[in-house]
């Protein structure tokens, strides 16, 4: 992401030069009156640079977590930007398995007979993770993975500027929470999980919910720019 780092380095040096010149009296101008216009201009240039420079190709790594003797699991997925694909294709005896850009950062805690798990990408050096080329439609920050269908799951997804596809048709999900920002999310709900409680908290997002044939659903919607 060399182009991205050079761009932000130039922005920081330029901003520092303007502040220094203002403090030395070389020129006098109200910096704060220019702040928001400057922010909009910088963001516009940033997106142009992201489009022109393309996407970073992170190395894809295979990773998995053992299911062990757990009879249930609560999983929180924190995924900021990129492309996330998840279904019920975990390998036998695995809680989660698949391929992950730059690997998988996981925290696992055993609570009684269940597991409490947090999944997230490895920490990326700022501002690489925020590079527009790796956002919606980008291949740079990508997960392609599956969860186990052997035990009941409680799932929480916290996503940002991401393209998310979740096929939970064959999973045993009791509680599902989606917290998302400016994203595109497509979810297929479980077909034979019994009662599933599903809650969505979304910003300026597109969320498509697929209820399987033969499954009853009650939907309460209160949406703004969604």
């Amino acid at each position: 992401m060399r182009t991205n780092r050079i761009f932000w380095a130039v922005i920081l040096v330029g901003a520092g030069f303007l502040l220094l010149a203002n403090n030395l009296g070389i020129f006098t101008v109200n910096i704060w009156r220019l702040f928001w216009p400057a922010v909009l201009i910088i963001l516009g240039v940033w997106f142009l640079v992201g489009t022109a420079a393309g996407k970073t190709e992170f190395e894809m790594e295979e990773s998995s977590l053992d299911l062990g003797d757990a009879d249930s699991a609560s999983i929180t997925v924190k995924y900021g930007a990129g492309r996330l694909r998840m279904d019920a294709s975990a390998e036998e005896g695995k809680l989660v398995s698949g391929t992950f850009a730059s690997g998988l950062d996981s925290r696992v805690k055993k609570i009684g007979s269940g597991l409490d798990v947090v999944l997230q990408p490895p920490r990326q050096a700022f501002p690489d993770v925020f590079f527009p080329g790796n956002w919606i439609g980008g291949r740079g920050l990508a997960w392609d993975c599956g969860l186990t269908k052997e035990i009941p799951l409680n799932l929480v997804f916290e996503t940002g500027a991401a393209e998310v596809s979740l096929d939970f048709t064959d999973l045993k999900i009791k509680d599902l929470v989606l917290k998302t920002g400016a994203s595109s999310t497509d979810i297929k709900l479980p077909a034979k999980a019994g009662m599933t409680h599903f809650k969505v908290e979304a910003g300026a997002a597109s969320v498509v919910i697929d209820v399987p044939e033969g499954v009853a659903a009650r939907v309460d919607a209160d949406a703004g720019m969604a």
Side-chain angles (χ1 to χ4, degrees):
M1 192 63 66
R2 186 170 180 271
T3 302
N4 195 23
R5 294 195 179 107
I6 292 175
F7 171 74
W8 282 105
V10 171
I11 292 298
L12 292 174
V13 170
F17 174 78
L18 290 177
L19 290 173
L20 178 61
N22 189 65
N23 290 337
L24 294 176
I26 296 176
F27 63 84
T28 57
V29 64
N30 188 339
I31 298 296
W32 297 111
R33 289 185 61 185
L34 303 176
F35 179 76
W36 287 114
V39 168
L40 293 176
I41 292 172
I42 290 171
L43 286 176
V45 173
W46 179 35
F47 275 93
L48 289 175
V49 171
T51 302
K55 307 170 180 66
T56 299
E57 294 298 330
F58 293 94
E59 182 179 354
M60 300 301 294
E61 299 182 13
E62 293 189 3
S63 187
S64 64
L65 295 178
D66 291 332
L67 181 59
D69 59 355
D71 59 11
S72 65
S74 295
I75 302 174
T76 299
V77 178
K78 299 182 178 182
Y79 193 84
R83 180 179 59 81
L84 169 61
R85 298 282 187 271
M86 185 175 285
D87 55 22
S89 62
E91 300 173 7
E92 185 176 355
K94 302 293 185 181
L95 177 64
V96 58
S97 64
T99 56
F100 305 84
S102 296
L104 174 66
D105 182 6
S106 60
R107 299 196 299 273
V108 182
K109 182 186 298 184
K110 186 72 178 292
I111 300 179
S113 59
L115 296 175
D116 185 72
V117 180
V118 177
L119 305 176
Q120 61 187 20
R123 294 186 178 277
Q124 303 291 338
F126 179 84
D128 288 2
V129 71
F130 299 111
F131 193 49
N134 292 322
W135 289 14
I136 295 177
R139 293 184 300 164
L141 295 169
W143 282 11
D144 192 350
C145 55
L147 298 176
T148 181
K149 52 186 176 183
E150 299 178 35
I151 61 174
L153 302 173
N154 296 320
L155 304 177
V156 177
F157 287 82
E158 300 175 3
T159 64
E163 179 184 340
V164 181
S165 177
L166 307 174
D167 186 352
F168 294 151
T169 306
D170 297 323
L171 293 182
K172 303 173 183 177
I173 300 177
K174 298 305 179 183
D175 283 285
L176 174 60
V177 177
L178 172 65
K179 300 179 181 179
T180 186
S183 66
S184 173
T185 305
D186 192 334
I187 303 178
K188 294 182 179 180
L189 296 181
K192 299 178 181 180
M195 176 70 74
T196 298
H197 182 260
F198 178 32
K199 181 179 180 180
V200 179
E201 299 176 7
S206 168
V207 180
V208 177
I209 302 170
D210 187 340
V211 180
E213 185 177 355
V215 175
R218 185 181 69 188
V219 180
D220 296 320
D222 183 7
M225 296 177 59

